Amino acid sequence: AAKARGRGCAVVFDPSLFAQAQERFELENDLRGAIERNELEVFYQAKADLKSCHLYGVEALLRWRHPRRGLISPGLFIPIAEENGTIVEIGHWILHEACAQVKLWHDQTPDGPLLELSVNLSPREFRQQNLVAGVAHVLETTGFPASCLHLEITEGVLFEDIDAAAQVLRSLKDLGVRLDLDDFGSGYSSFRYLRQLPFDLIKIDREFTFALNPDEPSSEQLIRTIVSMGETLGMKVLAEGVETEPHRSTLQRLGCKLGQGFYFSRPIEAGQMKTLLEGNASRSMEDAA
Ligand code: C2E
Ligand code: MG
Ligand code: MG
Ligand code: MG
């Protein structure tokens, strides 16, 4: 019988596959109502100027504090939320939560440049009809300045229907928000499409940073190429995955101005981020003095 079903077809009972399916089923069940039960949290990770190490912005990153399993990372549950559609509600929740939080930080530090906030949009969020109205509503109710909000979108979202995507991007731009292309280089990056799309910033996928190696000139040349492409297109460029001082200094030498990664800070809770930002602000005051 196994033969008849064709090769590669698992007819034998595989306990580990069963456990995986079981886990997924449980998570999917638990995810419904996670917002109402206050189990979702926003962590923040600093974005920094590679030269001065000044922290000029934060990216909001979702965490799920599961009552039995503890802290679950988005890599595990966002695909589930994406599949069953709960991502739309979750996405709206984190956008509101993060805008309200960073607005509070703005209000607490009225002088100096306002902190930027980046929020990720998944493919399903990007395709939903109410996206633009939802973002507008959050900006209005929180009073968060549109020009400080960056929405991060991955390449995969764009190429399904490039014309439809371009139209949504333009409507978002009309709200005054910024658009960042996340994980650039990890998918089917197309320079041709990029030219036609109103992105403000390109985030170089962290794999390019990890691949940096003094013995492999091509690893540096790739970064240079993306940086100069960004310059040509009038887009800023940020490198992900900056984990070490050599990462920071090499990227800076290659012309990249902005970075994000464990070298500056891991994603941390709002309270910890506030402390980090306060140190940042007093350091830049010393620098100025
Ligand atoms: P992303 O948007 O590319 O976020 C960066 C991820 O890289 C984060 O993982 C962050 O913790 C990790 N990272 C940052 N710096 C370093 C580093 O120096 N080294 C290494 N090895 N990793 C670093 P995280 O928080 O687990 O998030 C994973 C992905 O889940 C995100 O990738 C994003 O695509 C998605 N995600 C997170 N929060 C949300 C959200 O609120 N909505 C949506 N739609 N997706 C989200
Ligand atoms: Mg991101
Ligand atoms: Mg990314
Ligand atoms: Mg990523």
Side-chain angles (χ1 to χ4, degrees), residues 32-288:
R32 301 181 195 280
I35 296 181
E36 288 73 26
R37 293 190 304 272
N38 281 318
E39 291 169 6
L40 297 185
E41 290 179 24
V42 191
F43 275 38
Y44 296 88
Q45 186 181 33
K47 300 191 291 177
D49 181 299
L50 285 175
K51 187 170 173 206
S52 66
C53 294
H54 179 75
L55 312 182
Y56 72 93
V58 294
E59 177 173 4
L61 293 163
L62 198 58
R63 298 289 183 269
W64 179 13
R65 203 172 288 279
H66 192 279
R68 276 171 294 111
R69 294 160 185 261
L71 210 59
I72 304 183
S73 69
L76 199 67
F77 68 89
I78 286 192
I80 299 176
E82 181 75 11
E83 207 174 286
N84 73 11
T86 46
I87 189 65
V88 171
E89 195 191 343
I90 291 173
H92 190 81
W93 176 85
I94 189 173
L95 183 66
H96 185 275
E97 183 76 15
C99 283
Q101 177 62 73
V102 178
K103 172 75 166 102
L104 213 61
W105 291 336
H106 284 177
D107 293 346
Q108 287 163 351
T109 50
D111 0 275
L114 294 176
L115 196 68
E116 283 183 6
L117 165 66
S118 304
V119 177
N120 294 282
L121 289 184
S122 73
R124 185 135 174 189
E125 292 176 84
F126 188 78
R127 283 194 305 263
Q128 67 162 299
Q129 292 300 313
N130 300 330
L131 174 66
V132 179
V135 174
H137 184 73
V138 166
L139 290 171
E140 202 177 297
T141 51
T142 59
F144 192 80
S147 63
C148 292
L149 178 62
H150 288 238
L151 298 175
E152 298 195 358
I153 296 151
T154 51
E155 297 161 302
V157 171
L158 303 170
F159 304 126
E160 288 167 14
D161 182 349
I162 185 82
D163 295 326
Q167 203 169 345
V168 176
L169 292 176
R170 277 191 295 271
S171 308
L172 288 169
K173 284 292 285 189
D174 288 342
L175 296 178
V177 304
R178 317 283 177 184
L179 300 175
D180 296 2
L181 185 56
D182 206 353
D183 303 343
F184 181 78
S186 64
Y188 304 94
S189 321
S190 164
F191 290 46
R192 190 160 65 91
Y193 287 136
L194 198 51
R195 260 185 63 211
Q196 306 167 3
L197 299 171
F199 281 103
D200 297 282
L201 183 146
I202 298 166
K203 289 186 100 169
I204 306 177
D205 192 69
R206 62 185 185 206
E207 295 305 329
F208 290 89
T209 303
F210 296 163
L212 281 173
N213 175 351
D215 299 328
E216 276 180 49
S218 69
S219 68
E220 298 198 345
Q221 198 50 48
L222 273 170
I223 303 273
R224 279 193 210 277
T225 302
I226 301 176
V227 168
S228 82
M229 182 192 68
E231 268 165 13
T232 305
L233 297 174
M235 299 173 189
K236 294 184 178 184
V237 176
L238 177 147
E240 298 185 323
V242 183
E243 292 191 344
T244 64
E245 168 55 29
H247 283 162
R248 187 204 65 77
S249 58
T250 306
L251 287 161
Q252 197 208 328
R253 175 168 57 75
L254 298 174
C256 188
K257 295 196 172 67
L258 308 174
Q260 187 177 341
F262 298 167
Y263 177 73
F264 300 107
S265 162
R266 289 186 174 258
I268 50 182
E269 289 170 34
Q272 290 176 287
M273 181 49 79
K274 182 163 189 283
T275 309
L276 193 71
L277 292 170
E278 281 163 359
N280 188 50
S282 60
R283 240 198 354 264
S284 32
M285 291 222 296
E286 281 165 29
D287 291 348

Side-chain angles (χ1 to χ4, degrees), residues 23-37:
E23 183 190 40
R24 198 186 158 91
F25 180 76
E26 268 177 35
L27 284 180
E28 177 169 3
N29 253 337
D30 294 349
L31 197 54
R32 301 181 195 280
I35 296 181
E36 288 73 26
R37 293 190 304 272

